[in-house]
Amino acid sequence: MVLKTGAGVLADRPRLPTAVRSVLGYYADSGVFDYASLALKSEIDDRTERMMADVYDRVEAALEDEFGRPVSFSYDTKLILPAQLTLGYVYREARREADGDPVTEEIATGVPPVESGALDGDTPDLSPREMVVRAEQMTRLSIEALVDGDMRDAINDDEFEDFETDVDVDPRRVAETAQAALQSHLDGLLDEMPSIVADAYQWAVDYSEAHQDRDEHFRELLEAAEDGDESAREAIREEYKFADYDEEPATLTDAEKDLPYSKTQYARVGVIYDGMLDLYRLAGLDIDDDFAKAIVLAIIGAQVWLDDVDDYADDRAEGQLTPVTAEYVLAPDDRAAYNRVVDVTEQYLDLAKEYATAADSPLTGIAVEYIYRSGDPSVLPGHH
């Protein structure tokens, strides 16, 4: 208890690196101390950066064809974190079962075999090396799919600041060329696999896009609520904050489905990662249900705590309804709204840490702690 208390005190010292504070903070909460997870994180970061480099090479080739000269390209996205954590989860499991290290310097390429019965629990008995190979193959595909989806959203929203090149050209043209190159390659990979894989991927995309289709309606509700329309506030509560699921996800329990903003944020971001984990399962990998819950809840918490909090002023000015802008029209004052945003975030992230601990995935628990300690709620009204 003394050690855990001391860890909690150290975790709150801002002079320490956030990564170290996250290890200590997770230990203070869970009693799990796994400093080796920092080494695993470094390894996963290195290997997924190599995968991303392959994606950039493909994009740069397309940009050279488009502009008639070499173009350096990079894209800033945080959306691959769940794929990184899943690869780390499989590495940890495979190493436990292996006599030597099943992770080699060479990263597996190609597409993995597909186990059609895996979604019903019929998981094959894979060797540690087979687990690693299939996880690396599916991580490559998942990263490409996640970046492709993020690029689609950026193009739809006219947000091109994350597309970086060394040439002065139309950013929309760069974005559309990059996304088209990824989509073409991704379609080719999916064509090499049984249709059940493409169906699982498309289901998640369609589920998410159905939520996006209501964006204009949600904007109208926010505008009306800001003008003092009490019926609009009630509609935000019923249709956005405590909306009922039309198609319930098997991943979440009833308690999690009842969390504030559960349905809308699951549709906004959670379903994409739920679908991603099904792809790993279809590759024959045994992905624990608790691990899946940790990923989905963590990504919803991160969306609110990192993106929606940081973008609050812009979202409010542009009429974008998010859990954060919603609270500032539903709460009686700024201080109450601030406290509600913190409370909503902590509900998701605390549950995510609990599930990470239950799944014996300290890397995920530390990542959740890192998300929390990386947020800056001081930008919100009512902070003081």
Side-chain angles (χ1 to χ4, degrees), residues 12-170:
D12 290 332
R13 291 188 176 177
R15 291 185 180 180
L16 289 176
T18 305
V20 174
R21 294 170 62 211
S22 300
V23 172
L24 294 170
Y26 179 60
Y27 170 59
D29 278 354
S30 67
V32 176
F33 186 83
D34 193 68
Y35 200 82
S37 288
L38 290 181
L40 178 58
K41 179 185 183 302
S42 178
E43 179 183 21
I44 296 300
D45 286 348
D46 175 70
R47 296 174 81 83
T48 52
E49 281 174 11
R50 288 162 59 186
M51 295 179 188
M52 285 292 292
D54 291 343
V55 171
Y56 292 155
D57 287 347
R58 189 170 300 111
V59 168
E60 287 176 352
L63 290 173
E64 184 172 357
D65 289 343
E66 178 71 14
F67 295 107
R69 54 175 166 160
V71 177
S72 173
F73 175 85
S74 65
Y75 182 67
D76 183 22
T77 178
K78 309 179 189 73
L79 295 185
I80 68 169
L81 174 62
Q84 294 174 307
L85 293 174
T86 307
L87 182 60
Y89 173 81
V90 176
Y91 276 5
R92 181 179 168 92
E93 293 299 309
R95 282 169 164 159
R96 279 179 173 168
E97 298 181 14
D99 293 330
D101 191 349
V103 181
T104 67
E105 175 61 25
E106 202 64 33
I107 302 174
T109 59
V111 295
V114 174
E115 309 289 345
S116 298
L119 295 183
D120 296 321
D122 186 15
T123 305
D125 186 17
L126 302 177
S127 72
R129 180 58 190 160
E130 286 174 323
M131 292 166 62
V132 166
V133 168
R134 294 191 186 195
E136 290 174 349
Q137 291 171 326
M138 192 52 77
T139 300
R140 282 179 178 270
L141 188 149
S142 296
I143 284 175
E144 195 153 346
L146 292 169
V147 174
D148 172 68
D150 196 32
M151 285 184 176
R152 288 172 188 257
D153 290 343
I155 292 168
N156 290 337
D157 296 337
D158 289 318
E159 296 177 351
F160 305 116
E161 60 271 14
D162 292 333
F163 293 83
E164 297 182 7
T165 66
D166 60 351
V167 294
D168 185 17
V169 292
D170 178 13

Side-chain angles (χ1 to χ4, degrees), residues 187-384:
D187 287 346
L189 292 176
L190 292 173
D191 285 343
E192 295 180 37
M193 306 175 80
S195 60
I196 190 173
V197 177
D199 291 346
Y201 171 69
Q202 193 60 47
W203 173 82
V205 171
D206 291 345
Y207 195 113
S208 180
E209 288 182 348
H211 171 77
Q212 293 174 17
D213 289 343
R214 302 196 68 199
D215 181 66
E216 190 58 38
H217 172 65
F218 289 140
R219 287 176 181 271
E220 292 171 357
L221 288 180
L222 179 60
E223 182 180 4
E226 288 180 323
D227 289 339
D229 187 336
E230 186 55 43
S231 64
R233 290 194 182 96
E234 188 58 34
I236 289 173
R237 291 187 188 95
E238 292 183 2
E239 300 178 31
Y240 196 78
K241 184 172 182 176
F242 294 112
D244 293 328
Y245 279 88
D246 301 315
E247 188 175 352
E248 296 193 355
T251 299
L252 303 181
T253 68
D254 289 342
E256 288 127 30
K257 293 170 191 171
D258 288 338
L259 289 172
Y261 306 103
S262 178
K263 190 265 185 179
T264 50
Q265 302 315 295
Y266 177 81
R268 184 185 179 198
V269 292
V271 68
I272 297 299
Y273 298 99
D274 213 353
M276 180 200 79
L277 292 168
D278 276 348
L279 296 185
Y280 282 89
R281 291 184 174 112
L282 285 169
L285 296 164
D286 186 9
I287 303 298
D288 187 270
D289 288 344
D290 286 336
F291 176 79
K293 290 182 178 70
I295 291 294
V296 171
L297 294 169
I299 206 67
I300 292 175
Q303 178 68 43
V304 175
W305 193 237
L306 301 182
D307 292 351
D308 295 343
V309 167
D310 285 349
D311 295 342
Y312 167 75
D314 290 340
D315 287 341
R316 193 74 184 266
E318 295 167 7
Q320 181 69 55
L321 186 62
T322 70
V324 179
T325 57
E327 288 302 345
Y328 279 87
V329 296
L330 295 179
D333 54 54
D334 285 351
R335 184 61 183 171
Y338 172 86
N339 288 335
R340 289 184 186 180
V341 170
V342 173
D343 180 62
V344 167
T345 299
E346 290 179 346
Q347 286 185 67
Y348 280 97
L349 296 185
D350 286 350
L351 276 171
K353 281 192 290 186
E354 288 178 18
Y355 280 122
T357 303
D360 195 18
S361 180
L363 180 62
T364 303
I366 292 167
V368 176
E369 188 74 20
Y370 190 93
I371 289 168
Y372 186 68
R373 293 182 180 277
S374 298
D376 181 17
S378 69
V379 301
L380 294 177
H383 172 64
H384 292 297

